[in-house]
Amino acid sequence: MKTFFHDLYDDAKNILKKDPAARNILTVILLYPGFHVLVWHKINHFLYKKHLYFISRLLSQLARFLTGIEIHPGAVIGRRLFIDHGMGIVIGETSIIGDDCTIYHGVTLGGTGKEKKKRHPTLKNNIIVGCGAKVLGNIVISDNVKIGANSVVLKDVPKNSTVVGIPGVVKNK
């Protein structure tokens, strides 16, 4: 339980650090849907790992209704995820998100088929995903990558890159 609250406090401090509109930690905790959905996801992911699939999905749908952010309880999320203006974000079941990532509104981390295995993207550490971007399939976005707004990423991206366009094109390595 100690790590649960410590991780949430760490998430709130991270939002305060990254969002210039955030005035204090209490504001983040009470008013930020990106923070609220992380609280819900930590609970839902715990239940999902205990094979309580129905209740975890039910609670994730409640969180979606309350925040506008849909995170499947099976998704694995690292530390200090910052979801800014999160409305319309969808994070699929087999998605993996590393530490210190930022995701803006309208982003989809989605699958491309109906297979039962890993079918959603893996975001390593320190990734920024611009608003409206779609990252699709079982691909890996390596460390320190920036994905431009409204880009559609369908292939692995090497570290320290910027990806833009439809389909996404690596602009630098």
Side-chain angles (χ1 to χ4, degrees):
M1 201 58 127
K2 180 181 177 186
T3 58
F4 176 80
F5 290 110
H6 181 268
D7 288 349
L8 287 175
Y9 183 69
D10 206 26
D11 289 336
K13 284 192 318 188
N14 181 56
I15 293 168
L16 185 62
K17 180 177 107 178
K18 288 185 176 179
D19 188 348
R23 301 287 186 245
N24 57 59
I25 199 118
L26 187 60
T27 300
V28 170
I29 291 169
L30 295 177
L31 302 178
Y32 276 61
F35 177 78
H36 300 157
V37 80
L38 292 176
V39 174
W40 281 100
H41 179 71
K42 288 177 191 315
I43 295 165
N44 297 337
H45 186 67
F46 173 81
L47 295 170
Y48 188 85
K49 289 192 311 185
K50 297 292 184 189
H51 305 285
L52 298 169
Y53 302 121
F54 179 79
I55 190 70
S56 65
R57 288 297 309 274
L58 179 67
L59 292 175
S60 75
Q61 291 303 301
L62 177 61
R64 175 182 177 232
F65 175 77
L66 294 171
T67 65
I69 302 164
E70 181 174 345
I71 304 176
H72 191 286
V76 176
I77 296 178
R79 299 186 62 177
R80 296 176 301 276
L81 173 63
F82 175 37
I83 296 175
D84 196 14
H85 301 286
M87 186 62 75
I89 288 175
V90 176
I91 299 174
E93 177 182 19
T94 62
S95 296
I96 299 171
I97 301 173
D99 297 337
D100 301 306
C101 294
T102 299
I103 299 177
Y104 290 94
H105 62 279
V107 166
T108 298
L109 303 180
T112 56
K114 295 184 180 194
E115 59 274 353
K116 297 285 185 186
K117 59 186 190 238
K118 176 91 167 86
R119 63 189 181 282
H120 297 94
T122 296
L123 277 59
K124 295 291 189 171
N125 300 317
N126 196 36
I127 310 295
I128 296 174
V129 186
C131 59
K134 310 302 176 216
V135 185
L136 305 174
N138 182 15
I139 62 175
V140 176
I141 310 302
S142 298
D143 292 339
N144 307 311
V145 168
K146 294 178 181 161
I147 298 174
N150 295 313
S151 296
V152 178
V153 183
L154 303 170
K155 296 179 181 174
D156 292 349
V157 179
K159 65 182 178 177
N160 304 315
S161 300
T162 299
V163 180
V164 294
I166 304 172
V169 176
V170 175
K171 289 297 183 180
N172 63 328
K173 290 184 181 178

